[in-house]
Amino acid sequence: LMRVQSALIWNISPLLSSAQPPVMYTTSLWSLPFESGAPVRLLQAQERALLRDLRSAIDKRIENKIASARRFAVRARNHAKMVDCYLTTYYNHKSLFGNKKQISDQIIEHPQNYHIYEGLS
C-alpha cells in the first residue's frame, strides 16, 4: 500500500504547480468494520488526519478569501499605477500639431525609452 502511494505521489508531483508533494490520505470511508489483516491503525490515523485537515480548511476559508481579495487589490493598484504612468508619459510628449497615434504607438512599443517602468517602481 505504501509503495503504491509513494509511486503515485512521485508520478503526480511534476503535474502539480507546487514545490510541496501532494498530501494523500489512505483511508476507508465505509461504515463496515475493517477486514482482518487490514492496516487498521494506519487507516484510522489517516482518517483522523483527513478530518483534522478538512476542519482546518473550513476554519481558514475566511482568511483565504481575505488573502485573495488583497492579492486582487494589489494587482488592481499596480495596474492603475501603470495606466497612470502611460497616460502621464503620453500627455507630456504629445504636442498640438504632432501625430498623437504615432506618439502612443511609440510609448507602447518602446516603454523603456520613456522610463515607464522606472515610474512604476
Side-chain angles (χ1 to χ4, degrees), residues 14-86:
L15 302 175
L16 303 174
S17 59
S18 174
Q20 298 282 340
V23 178
M24 197 173 227
Y25 301 98
T26 306
T27 185
S28 173
L29 301 175
W30 287 17
S31 59
L32 301 175
F34 295 109
E35 292 183 9
S36 62
V40 176
R41 288 188 312 182
L42 171 69
L43 295 173
Q44 288 174 341
Q46 290 283 306
E47 184 177 348
R48 283 192 301 274
L50 171 65
L51 294 174
R52 183 186 60 240
D53 289 350
L54 282 174
R55 191 176 308 114
S56 174
I58 290 169
D59 292 343
K60 291 181 181 179
R61 72 176 182 253
I62 296 298
E63 289 89 0
N64 290 340
K65 285 184 180 182
I66 291 170
S68 177
R70 184 182 182 285
R71 283 191 303 272
F72 179 77
V74 167
R75 290 178 70 189
R77 182 196 64 199
N78 290 343
H79 182 74
K81 283 183 177 180
M82 188 168 61
V83 168
D84 182 57
C85 283
Y86 273 101

